[in-house]
Amino acid sequence: MKKVFLEAHNLKNKFSGFGQFNYHLIKGLATQDLGNLTLTLNVTDANSLKTEFGTTFKYKKYKSITRHKPFRIKKKYDLWHCLNQNIKVEPFYNIPYLLTVHDIHFVTEGSAGLQAKLRAQFEKKLKRATAITYISEFAKKDTHAHFKVPKVPEFVIYNGNTITDTSVPEDFKPSLLPKQPYLFSIGDFSERKNFKSLVAMLHHLPEYNLVLAGNNQSLYGASLRGMVSEYKLDDRVFLPGKIADTEKNYYLKNCEAFVFPSLREGFGIPPIEAMRFGKPAFLSNNTSLPEIGGEQSFYWEHYEPAYMAKVLQEGMETFYAHQNDYETWYSARAQSFNWEATAKQYLEVYHTILR
């Protein structure tokens, strides 16, 4: 048997992007024939995973002290899979090492000191890598543009769609419910997500409300709330905070459109989730989003409010003129991103390295 170690402790933040990736990849792996592979998950809460997956995996309890070199995990696994580029937990020994790169936002975000620190950490990972997987062609291209990437096997493996069941209980209603048609978006409140541009756009769209879900307890979130009040949109912009899957599905199922003006995305799962419900997707025309959104999504070239409103109004007219075709295309595209297929590709990479 070959022993593969999955550094997956970001599962502790299940509603974050990394947490979602960790959980759904593991869930996808559980559906596969693992053959001669024994997979060990490094996680904080092993009990809940044991309840869900039983003996499919082995489990190691994550300890934060293992981030420090003298206390690194000393067991010699046949392959170590580092599930994202920011993880500080590394193997003690020089063993085969698979690095998954989601994004390199840190090259432009934060202070110069933080950027330098994260660059140095990432460069060490690149030098250590036996192989590298990227979650999009953009993530691969961006990494090569900013770093000297070693000559090792590289693979692009798309994330899957986290929503497979679009049903919502008939009697369910979210805590915050707009009284008129609404646009929906979700994500952490940060400069990169560019949610303020949606508030400014809404000023030109009196026919719509706006629901922005996600962790809004940040300086950006406070600034956005101030902007909502300044624009006198308190009765039209709804901020439910972090939401559970049922609430998210409700908003996706009942919104008029999904709006995602993100400035930088390694992949972008939320647009795929919206497409699963057949909803028109309005996205930034940069980084990975055109790659993920495809030719039938609608794109903003820049973020001037009146222009954004015009793109949305014209896009909605186009969508409703061919609604059945668009809904069919969106749903099919969303379902083409499949976690079981993603897991199968990762297993193929494991076998390639181990051979």
Side-chain angles (χ1 to χ4, degrees), residues 53-275:
F53 301 117
T55 59
T56 301
F57 306 107
K58 291 185 178 297
Y59 305 90
K60 183 174 181 61
K61 183 172 176 57
Y62 163 73
K63 297 178 181 178
S64 61
I65 197 172
T66 58
R67 294 179 299 168
H68 304 289
K69 194 169 184 178
F71 305 100
R72 286 179 177 175
I73 296 168
K74 295 181 174 63
K75 184 171 180 178
K76 280 192 174 181
Y77 291 91
D78 297 297
L79 172 61
W80 182 290
H81 184 183
C82 179
L83 267 67
N84 81 62
Q85 71 281 343
N86 294 337
I87 290 173
K88 295 180 181 178
V89 180
E90 301 284 13
F92 185 86
Y93 297 106
N94 183 22
I95 58 178
Y97 186 93
L98 173 63
L99 172 63
T100 293
V101 178
H102 297 251
D103 58 67
I104 54 166
H105 302 328
F106 56 84
V107 299
T108 58
E109 294 180 354
S111 66
L114 179 61
Q115 289 179 23
K117 179 181 177 181
L118 294 176
R119 285 187 70 99
Q121 179 181 313
F122 183 61
E123 285 168 349
K124 288 181 181 178
K125 287 181 177 293
L126 288 175
K127 290 177 182 178
R128 180 165 217 155
T130 307
I132 304 170
T133 53
Y134 304 90
I135 64 171
S136 66
E137 292 289 350
F138 167 75
K140 179 180 179 181
K141 179 181 177 182
D142 203 29
T143 302
H144 277 264
H146 289 90
F147 294 92
K148 183 178 180 180
V149 179
K151 292 183 179 180
V152 297
E154 297 178 273
F155 309 87
V156 173
I157 303 177
Y158 287 130
N159 293 341
N161 178 19
T162 56
I163 295 178
T164 54
D165 181 5
T166 59
S167 63
V168 178
E170 289 186 13
D171 59 348
F172 178 81
K173 292 289 187 294
S175 56
L176 294 178
L177 184 59
K179 293 181 179 179
Q180 68 185 67
Y182 64 90
L183 311 173
F184 179 64
S185 195
I186 187 170
D188 284 339
F189 281 48
S190 65
E191 294 286 349
R192 177 162 52 89
K193 295 302 182 183
N194 198 23
F195 284 159
K196 286 183 181 179
S197 69
L198 297 176
V199 175
M201 176 187 73
L202 199 69
H203 193 65
H204 299 271
L205 296 169
E207 66 272 34
Y208 292 113
N209 283 175
L210 173 66
V211 177
L212 297 176
N215 181 13
N216 55 39
Q217 300 305 306
S218 63
L219 290 176
Y220 186 86
S223 178
L224 186 141
R225 286 190 291 273
M227 182 181 181
V228 169
S229 296
E230 179 186 346
Y231 277 67
K232 296 181 171 54
L233 294 172
D234 298 87
D235 60 340
R236 295 179 54 210
V237 177
F238 297 78
L239 307 174
K242 292 182 180 180
I243 56 176
D245 288 345
T246 301
E247 199 166 0
K248 179 174 70 173
N249 286 5
Y250 180 94
Y251 284 130
L252 287 169
K253 187 173 185 177
N254 292 285
C255 70
E256 292 296 304
F258 184 77
V259 287
F260 202 66
S262 180
L263 301 176
R264 192 177 179 87
E265 291 290 326
F267 181 82
I269 287 178
I272 299 298
E273 294 178 331
M275 289 180 192

Side-chain angles (χ1 to χ4, degrees), residues 118 244 308 324:
L118 294 176
M308 289 183 70
N324 288 338

